[in-house]
């Protein structure tokens, strides 16, 4: 931990690098063409934009039963109309980043109206639901075998590891809630806790393997963020943690079972500590305090669920189910069932996430 902590402290106060973009007046974009049914996909017509060029890397593009994903270099900050042909009749939506862009269809040709793009816009192929709470965001990735790509394109689909990641993501969320970590980092302007799993569809070349989970404190300027990768074996248990520091240039550090890793804030304070136990379970708590213990709820790994036991609190059982066909994520915490409905094409949360404001005559104590 000493070498990693030193690397973290070195980068405190260093400005974050500029967003990645191609030298000159071009930016990289990814468009997702959602299909009506399995079948033909569209193809970019270069005659409609002489200043545009396709990105040919296979992991930047995709064509499966759900969608066609096309990556392009386009002129920066220009209002464009891009043409696509071949499978145009099979397209029902066009996605840029997290939302729809307008398009027109004439016969077997599709014209997409592109807004001016200032910096790279490449996340359209992601299929994840974001659950935002004070000081924390949980990014839940939907593992759809029909979209499998990259490292996960062939062989046994990592269903066990993904189910384990599902339980571990929400178990960590439960610890963050129990210990008040999210509110604390937000109140002290230390950044935001981000809980994540792993993608199985290689969006924008994010190959995300082997299977793992994250829980890191994203620093306000990103540089200095310590990103751990808690790897999950075929048995659904945790094996080890590999940590890198954004923007530091320092080598990654490996933490095996039994070795604790403490996340540091921008002001140098130790915030929370993770420790993979000798059994492959997970301990998580405030730095220097007795931790919560996250263990499988059954006799095997985490694929069947997790049990969260914090000091002085009764254990809580976490069970997660993701219905891809219905677009419904269900999370059971003991007897409380949460239902998150999401857009099956993008993962965007459809369930309400905030209480509507009261009528104007209602007194609201603003503190």
């Amino acid at each position: 931990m000493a070498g990693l902590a030193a690397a973290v402290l070195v980068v405190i106060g260093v400005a974050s690098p500029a967003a990645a973009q191609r030298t000159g007046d071009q930016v990289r974009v990814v468009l997702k063409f959602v299909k009506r049914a399995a079948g033909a996909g569209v193809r970019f017509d270069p005659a409609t934009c002489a200043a545009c060029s396709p990105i040919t890397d296979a992991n930047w593009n995709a064509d499966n039963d759900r969608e066609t994903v096309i990556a392009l270099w386009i002129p920066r900050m220009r209002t464009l109309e891009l043409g696509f042909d071949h499978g145009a009749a099979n397209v029902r939506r066009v996605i840029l980043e997290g939302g729809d862009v307008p398009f027109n269809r004439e016969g077997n040709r599709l014209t997409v109206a592109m807004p001016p793009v200032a910096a790279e816009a490449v996340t359209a192929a992601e299929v994840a639901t974001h659950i935002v709470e004070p000081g924390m965001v949980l990014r839940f990735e939907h593992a759809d075998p029909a979209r499998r790509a990259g490292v996960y394109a062939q062989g046994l689909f990592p269903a066990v590891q993904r189910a384990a990641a599902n339980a571990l993501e929400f178990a960590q969320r439960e610890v963050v809630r129990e210990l008040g970590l999210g509110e604390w980092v937000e109140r002290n302007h230390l950044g935001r806790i981000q809980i994540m799993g792993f993608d199985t569809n290689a969006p924008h070349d994010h190959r995300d393997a082997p299977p793992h989970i994250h829980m890191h404190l994203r620093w306000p300027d990103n540089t200095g963020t310590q990103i751990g990768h808690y790897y999950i074996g075929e048995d659904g248990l945790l094996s080890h943690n590999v940590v890198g520091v954004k923007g530091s240039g320092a080598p990654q550090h490996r933490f095996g079972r039994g070795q604790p890793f403490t996340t540091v804030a921008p002001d140098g304070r130790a915030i929370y500590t993770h420790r993979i136990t000798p059994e492959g379970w997970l301990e998580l708590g405030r730095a220097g305090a007795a931790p919560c213990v996250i263990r499988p709820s059954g006799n095997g790994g985490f694929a069947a669920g997790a049990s969260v036991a914090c000091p002085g609190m009764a254990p809580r059982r976490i069970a997660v189910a993701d219905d891809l066909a219905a677009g419904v994520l269900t999370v059971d915490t003991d007897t409380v069932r949460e239902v998150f409905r999401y857009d099956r094409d993008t993962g965007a949360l459809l369930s309400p996430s905030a209480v509507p404001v009261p009528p104007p005559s209602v007194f609201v104590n603003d503190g």
Side-chain angles (χ1 to χ4, degrees), residues 224-367:
T225 301
Q226 305 115 70
I227 300 181
H229 300 74
Y230 299 85
Y231 289 102
I232 305 168
E234 294 180 0
D235 56 2
L237 294 169
L238 295 166
S239 59
H240 64 286
N241 174 25
V242 176
V243 182
V245 181
K246 293 290 289 185
S248 73
Q252 292 183 327
H253 285 243
R254 186 185 191 278
F255 298 85
R257 288 182 174 181
Q259 295 181 300
F261 165 66
T262 298
T263 293
V264 179
D267 62 5
R269 277 184 286 181
I271 304 300
Y272 53 80
T273 299
H274 282 86
R275 176 180 174 268
I276 299 174
T277 72
E279 302 90 349
W281 306 345
L282 187 63
E283 292 180 348
L284 171 60
R286 286 181 179 265
C292 302
V293 179
I294 303 172
R295 67 181 70 193
S297 57
N299 295 323
F302 285 102
S307 173
V308 178
C310 293
M313 304 288 291
R316 294 190 176 185
R317 187 183 184 279
I318 309 290
V320 181
D322 186 16
D323 187 335
L324 291 168
V328 178
L329 171 65
T330 305
V331 182
D332 290 323
T333 306
D334 289 341
T335 59
V336 176
R337 169 161 290 187
E338 294 179 272
V339 179
F340 301 95
R341 297 187 181 274
Y342 61 88
D343 185 324
R344 292 177 297 167
D345 300 325
T346 66
L349 184 65
L350 301 178
S351 295
S353 58
V355 179
V357 298
S361 62
V362 176
F363 172 74
V364 178
N365 183 1
D366 61 5

Side-chain angles (χ1 to χ4, degrees), residues 94-156:
V94 181
I95 308 295
L96 174 67
E97 293 287 74
D100 292 77
V101 289
F103 65 92
N104 292 315
R105 184 187 298 108
E106 293 184 8
N108 205 31
R109 172 173 288 274
L110 205 70
T111 302
V112 176
M114 290 290 292
V117 181
E120 72 170 19
V122 300
T123 63
E126 294 184 6
V127 185
T129 299
H130 293 81
I131 299 168
V132 180
E133 299 184 5
M136 182 192 74
V137 58
L138 185 150
R139 178 187 187 270
F140 186 90
E141 305 81 8
H142 301 283
D144 184 356
R147 293 182 168 102
R148 63 186 301 178
V151 175
Y152 302 109
Q154 304 294 330
L156 183 66

